[in-house]
Amino acid sequence: MDKIIVKGGTPLHGSIEIAGAKNACLTLMPAALLCAEPLTLTNAPRLSDIATMTELLESLGCEVASLQEGRVLVLGTAKISNHTAHYDIVRKMRASILVLGPMLARDGEAVCSLPGGCAIGARPVDIHLSGLEAMGAELDLREGYVHAKAPNGLIGAEYELPFASVGATENLLMAATLAKGTTVLKNVAREPEIVDLAECLRAMGANISGEGSHTLTIHGVKKLHGATHRVVTDRIELGTYMIAPVIAGGEVELIGGRRDLLEAFCTKLEAAGATISETENGLTVTRDGPIKPVDIVTEVHPGFPTDLQAQMMALLCFSDGTSVLEEKIFENRFMHAPELIRMGADIEVHGGHATVNGVSALKGAPVMATDLRASVSLILAGLAAKGETVVSRVYHLDRGYEQLVRKLSACGADIVREKEA
Ligand code: EPZ
């Protein structure tokens, strides 16, 4: 396993190119199962999760061609030759569940291992399953797998999600494109990745309206066709790198950055002392005065994104006051706190709340990554801490951050990646 060594104290100057969104690509790729003609995705990020999804889709009979060093993916599913998503792949990446809806819609059958929980929570898939049942699927849960059948095809239905789950919205939206009749999905997720999926499915011939609102209306069609779609910018990678010049000092331009993708986050980052300006290439971020405390509550979009909570906590460790962070999406998403405390942060966690009392400095230390976003929060803290921070288990980072060391060192950060002895 590799480790990343950061020596803090160097202000950052330069530009960072933001990649296509991991969480958009992981739902766009399974959409290729819905039709026999090829789906071409451009601006695809080069991440280990994308490789895992490729492995899964190929196991189902989809042919995936990776062009332009992985930036372009051409996915062709002439036919689904295997309808079972096996545990050994699904356990590596929970987004594997997103093959369930498309396979069911295309062929009326699908078997998918139930994704286990993960470090940040139990993460059940009950909403995915109850939505598919509302559309006429017959589900049988046994030996850790869901066996789904719709021998006469899925039927359009009206279904209200008990929680605006991102993955459930994506699964049900894809399934509804080929259902007989009209499906109305209420209380759906409104994240930019949902909008991106709807735009891609529409390019494939789907009849969808309402993306980005609380309600999606889908009129089923007989067949979809191939298309070419550009993966939307990764708002979580964007937000992560926007924090870098605020925590470390300096000024960084985020190429391809779009403020409309993360308005709630930008408002909080400005309250913490950042200056964000829009440029013709994206966004430029800097900080003039002190880092100020702000209170954060994670919400479904358009609220503050849970995937940027850990990174914001790292910044607030350096503020000149007290901040309270409330994590309302996942039940266990403060695992970065004990690691930040080892660097000298003053944080108290009580259930879903974390109180951060800012300190004047953190000290570099050996720290452990536990999940994707917790890992990167430790890197951010290391950029500003005194001395050297060694982050181990960086394979978490490779799931969601393409060439992180290159991007940060190009802006002057003292950061290297080494093989763990
Ligand atoms: C997506 O996960 C993202 N992953 C997550 O990003 C992100 O944190 C999350 O959405 C919330 O924005 C991908 O898109 C691949 P949810 P997903 O279904 O779809 C509960 C990252 O770091 N729930 O909106 O799994 C669930 O337990 C990852 O890139 C149910 O109870 O998120 C959780 O508490 C981490 N039943 C909450 O809803 C269900 O059937 C949010 O889950 C589904 C979800």
Side-chain angles (χ1 to χ4, degrees):
M1 284 190 276
D2 291 1
K3 60 186 177 184
I4 289 180
I5 301 152
V6 196
K7 288 195 181 73
T10 312
L12 304 180
H13 291 278
S15 61
I16 293 177
E17 184 158 349
I18 303 301
K22 165 180 86 79
N23 291 349
C25 205
L26 289 176
T27 189
L28 293 166
M29 291 172 75
L33 297 169
L34 288 165
C35 75
E37 295 170 21
L39 171 62
T40 298
L41 299 175
T42 62
N43 193 39
R46 294 172 294 187
L47 300 165
S48 57
D49 269 9
I50 303 307
T52 304
M53 182 58 82
T54 297
E55 182 190 350
L56 171 60
L57 292 173
E58 286 175 337
S59 76
L60 304 176
C62 175
E63 287 182 20
V64 185
S66 172
L67 312 174
Q68 294 178 31
E69 296 171 341
R71 282 257 177 269
V72 174
L73 300 173
V74 182
L75 303 101
T77 320
K79 72 187 286 290
I80 299 175
S81 51
N82 160 40
H83 292 84
T84 298
H86 284 289
Y87 176 63
D88 58 350
I89 297 183
V90 175
R91 69 177 173 79
K92 283 194 282 188
M93 187 184 61
R94 310 176 32 69
S96 306
I97 193 76
L98 295 173
V99 302
L100 183 60
M103 282 204 285
L104 203 46
R106 170 94 180 263
D107 286 351
E109 61 174 306
V111 179
C112 187
S113 164
L114 289 168
C118 79
I120 62 178
R123 301 182 74 181
V125 291
D126 54 310
I127 303 172
H128 299 241
L129 303 183
S130 52
L132 290 171
E133 282 182 315
M135 295 166 71
E138 295 156 16
L139 306 183
D140 177 18
L141 299 187
R142 58 177 193 271
E143 292 140 28
Y145 282 76
V146 53
H147 298 254
K149 285 199 178 316
N152 305 313
L154 294 173
I155 315 294
E158 185 161 313
Y159 176 72
E160 180 158 358
L161 282 73
F163 176 82
S165 154
V166 170
T169 301
E170 292 163 346
N171 237 333
L172 300 177
L173 171 57
M174 289 189 282
T177 58
L178 295 176
K180 293 184 184 64
T182 298
T183 300
V184 178
L185 300 173
K186 295 184 172 179
N187 191 34
V188 294
R190 302 165 63 194
E191 274 70 3
E193 293 75 34
I194 306 289
V195 173
D196 202 43
L197 174 62
E199 287 170 356
C200 177
L201 293 168
R202 194 176 292 121
M204 295 168 69
N207 185 332
I208 298 167
S209 59
E211 68 272 14
S213 78
H214 291 289
T215 302
L216 281 166
T217 302
I218 306 103
H219 300 288
V221 295
K222 281 214 176 320
K223 272 169 70 76
L224 295 177
H225 52 71
T228 295
H229 178 78
R230 186 181 190 282
V231 179
V232 69
T233 301
D234 192 322
R235 62 194 168 99
I236 306 303
E237 185 194 29
L238 171 60
T240 302
Y241 287 125
M242 288 174 73
I243 290 176
V246 186
I247 203 167
E251 178 175 295
V252 173
E253 181 177 31
L254 296 314
I255 310 293
R258 285 171 43 190
R259 185 177 176 126
D260 66 303
L261 293 172
L262 70 181
E263 187 57 52
F265 166 80
C266 288
T267 302
K268 288 293 181 181
L269 193 62
E270 286 169 331
T275 301
I276 304 171
S277 30
E278 301 193 49
T279 69
E280 60 184 25
N281 298 318
L283 298 173
T284 290
V285 181
T286 185
R287 167 172 57 88
D288 302 326
I291 296 169
K292 308 299 290 173
V294 292
D295 294 338
I296 303 284
V297 180
T298 63
E299 300 280 2
V300 297
H301 195 78
F304 189 97
T306 174
D307 291 349
L308 285 167
Q309 177 260 109
Q311 299 91 314
M312 201 67 182
M313 184 185 286
L315 174 64
L316 296 171
C317 289
F318 294 88
S319 82
D320 60 5
T322 296
S323 311
V324 177
L325 293 89
E326 183 181 3
E327 173 55 60
K328 288 176 68 174
I329 303 297
F330 290 106
E331 58 265 36
N332 184 32
R333 204 170 196 178
F334 287 137
M335 287 172 295
H336 39 288
E339 298 304 304
L340 291 167
I341 290 167
R342 296 185 60 246
M343 297 173 71
D346 178 352
I347 306 169
E348 292 161 41
V349 173
H350 298 291
H353 288 82
T355 301
V356 179
N357 299 305
V359 293
S360 55
L362 293 190
K363 284 186 67 181
V367 289
M368 179 88 69
T370 50
D371 68 83
L372 169 56
R373 309 304 175 181
S375 317
V376 84
S377 77
L378 301 174
I379 301 282
L380 290 172
L383 290 173
K386 292 189 184 335
E388 185 176 276
T389 299
V390 181
V391 182
S392 53
R393 296 189 181 180
V394 293
Y395 57 84
H396 290 294
L397 277 171
D398 294 338
R399 298 190 55 174
Y401 292 92
E402 188 184 303
Q403 302 183 46
L404 174 136
V405 170
R406 181 185 66 75
K407 290 184 175 184
L408 286 172
S409 45
C411 290
D414 184 342
I415 181 170
V416 294
R417 179 169 180 148
E418 287 178 3
K419 286 267 171 258
E420 191 101 67

